[in-house]
Amino acid sequence: MQSEQLIKKLNVKNAFLRKVVLTLLKRTEKKDKKFAPEGAAAYNFNVRTDYSFSPFNPSMSAFMAYKNGVSVAGVCDFGTIAAAKEFMSGCRTLGVFGICGFEIALKSTELGNCTAALYGIGKKNAALFEPLLADFRATCVKRASSVTERINKLLSKFDIAIDYENDVYRFSMAKKNGTVTLKHLFRAVGMKIIEKYGKGKTTADFLRNDLCLDIDESEYNLLCDAQNPYYLYDLIAALRKHFKETDEIVVEFPAVKTYTSLAADTGVIVAYEYQCKYRWLEMETESEKATAEFSKLLDKVKADGFNAVCLSVREYSRSALVSFIETIRKKELLVVLTEKTEYPRSMFGIECPDEAKSYVETCALAIAGNALSIAECHSDGIFSDKTVIKCPSLEERLNVFASIGRKNK
């Protein structure tokens, strides 16, 4: 009971009080041994907080990682590192190895618009990235404002209107260097829809029949359930996924090379987030085709300066995931299995097929080891020129950096 009461208090707005509560919670949990199973070895480098979009503040995010047996956790908010100080403090309190990263939308001549995740942001290099991130967040504000205007035109015939300042911006952490995302906008839209139609079948039918959104049966059934405890977040997810009209808003994202070059100079690992255009590659011929296309894509990824690839575990069958991971390994890139914790149904720990577990875990520990190494010296990263000259073999470097991460996790 004491633990449950403390967990509820992790939702308070005061960051100092959250830190105190987390310390008390760890003390209680250590005595009760209720969470954090012995030998916890799960990894997640894409933990979100409310500084971009998440139901969890930085302390709660750290606790959720701990609770789910995550031993190495990376905070990776969209366009901001503002949550890092509190998140890292929470991880230290809970005995979790924490690293700081961020996600960013970029443009490339070869790859088009893409998303990247950068891992290993510390005190020495944060000041170099922050001006770039501040400009990016300003772009996100303009995008959200423009999309709000477009959404209002579409919703006006239903007598629904969104006030950007009061309904969107105010519910973000923008005033504290957080990012305004389109999910904040769809949160506002969802709130207005619930206010007008209530929770349940009426809202689900409104999405299908009036807004003409192509929601599938599982999404429809969730929204028909008025008792669904995650109703608002399921509604936000459906709106964000299917409201395609917002894609017509043109945004000029930063150039890939701006970030990959700075990452190379500072030893930061930069991962390309692959968006799988196939779904559950069950047929052998389809899998072979997808893997071949993926292999060619990775050549462009490397040419743009990426040295890792993120794969979302939910987008693949088991065999396809193993095949894609092996392709990444052959291209001498690191693999990061991801689960973005933007919704309460998200997983904090990443499950990996046994056939690929060794390489995935080695990469995860090497990313942790790299963060420790470049905190001392920017040129001591796993992909830094000095390190590559000293040890040309990526396999050997991986093992060296993984041993650093393993020793300190």
Side-chain angles (χ1 to χ4, degrees):
M1 181 61 71
Q2 185 179 357
S3 296
E4 292 174 1
Q5 293 301 319
L6 287 171
I7 291 171
K8 289 179 181 179
K9 290 182 179 179
L10 273 179
N11 282 323
V12 298
K13 291 185 177 181
N14 187 294
F16 176 76
L17 288 179
R18 295 200 294 258
K19 184 176 181 179
V20 172
V21 170
L22 204 58
T23 302
L24 292 173
L25 188 58
K26 175 58 187 292
R27 197 175 299 162
T28 302
E29 294 305 328
K30 189 175 182 180
K31 181 179 68 177
D32 296 345
K33 295 184 178 179
K34 188 175 180 180
F35 296 129
E38 290 294 325
Y43 311 102
N44 191 344
F45 291 97
N46 283 68
V47 176
R48 293 289 206 265
T49 77
D50 56 359
Y51 277 82
S52 54
F53 188 85
S54 169
F56 310 116
N57 61 50
S59 291
M60 181 63 92
S61 292
F63 177 74
M64 291 295 290
Y66 164 78
K67 175 183 174 181
N68 286 277
V70 175
S71 60
V72 181
V75 62
C76 192
D77 280 315
F78 186 67
T80 178
I81 53 175
K85 184 177 180 181
E86 182 182 344
F87 180 84
M88 299 286 276
S89 174
C91 284
R92 286 192 295 271
T93 298
L94 297 166
V96 174
F97 186 98
I99 72 167
C100 174
F102 64 86
E103 186 184 74
I104 191 88
L106 302 171
K107 65 176 181 180
S108 162
T109 303
E110 290 294 323
L111 299 168
N113 286 344
C114 61
T115 306
L118 286 81
Y119 304 116
I121 309 300
K123 292 180 180 178
K124 289 186 177 180
N125 57 29
L128 299 174
F129 284 98
E130 182 51 40
L132 296 175
L133 290 174
D135 289 342
F136 178 75
R137 290 194 297 272
T139 299
C140 289
V141 166
K142 292 177 182 176
R143 177 179 65 162
S145 179
S146 297
V147 176
T148 300
E149 291 179 11
R150 181 167 182 80
I151 288 287
N152 275 333
K153 289 179 181 177
L154 294 168
L155 295 178
S156 60
K157 60 183 176 182
F158 305 109
D159 294 322
I160 296 175
I162 308 300
D163 183 301
Y164 174 75
E165 289 295 330
N166 291 320
D167 299 330
V168 182
Y169 187 88
R170 188 164 67 90
F171 284 94
S172 75
M173 296 290 280
K175 290 183 179 180
K176 295 184 178 181
N177 293 330
T179 308
V180 181
T181 73
L182 292 186
K183 294 181 182 71
H184 289 104
L185 167 57
F186 287 114
R187 177 194 178 279
V189 174
M191 292 289 287
K192 294 288 184 179
I193 290 174
I194 292 172
E195 182 182 318
K196 182 167 184 177
Y197 298 104
K199 295 179 180 179
K201 190 173 184 300
T202 305
T203 285
D205 288 338
F206 173 71
L207 263 62
R208 265 192 175 176
N209 303 329
D210 297 295
L211 294 183
C212 299
L213 302 186
D214 189 24
I215 60 175
D216 61 34
E217 283 304 306
S218 62
E219 293 166 325
Y220 180 78
N221 290 334
L222 285 174
L223 295 177
C224 281
D225 180 8
Q227 304 305 313
N228 174 0
Y230 307 128
Y231 196 93
L232 176 59
Y233 282 94
D234 289 333
L235 179 54
I236 293 168
L239 290 167
R240 179 70 184 97
K241 179 180 177 182
H242 298 291
F243 231 127
K244 298 301 182 184
E245 288 85 350
T246 60
D247 295 340
E248 296 177 17
I249 301 295
V250 178
V251 177
E252 190 72 9
F253 290 126
V256 163
K257 292 289 186 179
T258 302
Y259 280 84
T260 56
S261 295
L262 184 54
D265 292 340
T266 55
V268 171
I269 289 173
V270 54
Y272 173 80
E273 294 193 7
Y274 177 64
Q275 304 295 319
C276 186
K277 65 180 181 179
Y278 297 91
R279 184 71 177 172
W280 299 103
L281 302 161
E282 300 292 359
M283 293 177 59
E284 186 175 345
T285 53
E286 189 179 36
S287 297
E288 290 175 356
K289 177 184 177 184
T291 304
E293 290 178 358
F294 181 62
S295 181
K296 290 180 180 179
L297 174 68
L298 293 185
D299 292 330
K300 296 179 181 179
V301 167
K302 291 186 72 171
D304 259 344
F306 292 97
N307 40 42
V309 178
C310 292
L311 299 177
S312 176
V313 293
R314 293 194 182 195
E315 294 184 353
Y316 307 88
S317 65
R318 186 184 186 88
S319 60
L321 184 60
V322 171
S323 176
F324 274 49
I325 291 171
E326 179 61 18
T327 304
I328 293 170
R329 187 189 68 78
K330 287 179 179 177
K331 291 291 184 179
E332 295 196 322
L333 293 161
L334 307 189
V335 64
V336 183
L337 299 188
T338 66
E339 176 75 18
K340 299 174 185 177
T341 59
E342 296 174 306
Y343 300 104
R345 295 184 187 277
S346 302
M347 298 182 297
F348 271 78
I350 305 298
E351 295 182 5
C352 175
D354 290 339
E355 303 95 311
K357 186 169 289 186
S358 176
Y359 190 67
V360 171
E361 290 188 351
T362 300
C363 288
L365 290 169
I367 291 170
N370 185 76
L372 287 167
S373 187
I374 64 174
E376 298 297 323
C377 178
H378 286 174
S379 61
D380 285 343
I382 188 172
F383 291 102
S384 300
D385 290 341
K386 184 176 77 173
T387 308
V388 174
I389 291 171
K390 188 185 300 184
C391 182
S393 168
L394 175 60
E395 183 178 354
E396 291 180 19
R397 297 199 311 275
L398 264 177
N399 289 327
V400 169
F401 280 83
S403 67
I404 297 172
R406 187 177 290 106
K407 191 182 300 181
N408 289 275
K409 77 167 185 172

